[in-house]
């Protein structure tokens, strides 16, 4: 997951975004692919951080 976050946060990997990847070319032109990838990269970092935090909290509860 962290690898995907790194790739997306660099503005690359638009092909990894399932909904964006399914758009026809005419619709893809309406979106800034680099900005979309960077935003999704930030979201992936947030999800990864929450995953690590929940793992730490769950592990300490025993």
């Amino acid at each position: 997951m962290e690898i995907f976050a790194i790739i997306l946060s660099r503005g690359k990997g638009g092909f990894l975004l399932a909904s964006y990847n399914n758009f026809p070319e005419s619709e893809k032109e309406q979106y800034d692919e680099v900005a979309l990838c960077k935003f999704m990269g930030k979201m992936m970092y947030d999800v990864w951080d929450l995953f690590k935090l929940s793992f730490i909290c769950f592990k300490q509860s025993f």
Side-chain angles (χ1 to χ4, degrees):
M1 187 181 296
E2 193 170 7
I3 294 170
F4 294 133
I6 292 169
I7 292 170
L8 290 172
S9 66
R10 292 184 179 189
K12 306 213 183 285
F15 64 94
L16 296 171
L17 303 175
S19 58
Y20 179 75
N21 195 22
N22 291 330
F23 286 161
E25 290 298 323
S26 60
E27 228 175 303
K28 285 184 182 180
E29 293 172 359
Q30 297 175 0
Y31 297 96
D32 183 5
E33 183 175 349
V34 174
L36 182 62
C37 287
K38 287 183 177 185
F39 173 75
M40 290 307 295
K42 290 177 186 176
M43 297 306 291
M44 291 285 287
Y45 278 126
D46 290 342
V47 169
W48 181 243
D49 287 342
L50 288 173
F51 178 75
K52 290 188 296 188
L53 182 64
S54 66
F55 181 75
I56 290 169
C57 292
F58 181 72
K59 187 177 177 181
Q60 290 180 356
S61 66
F62 287 110

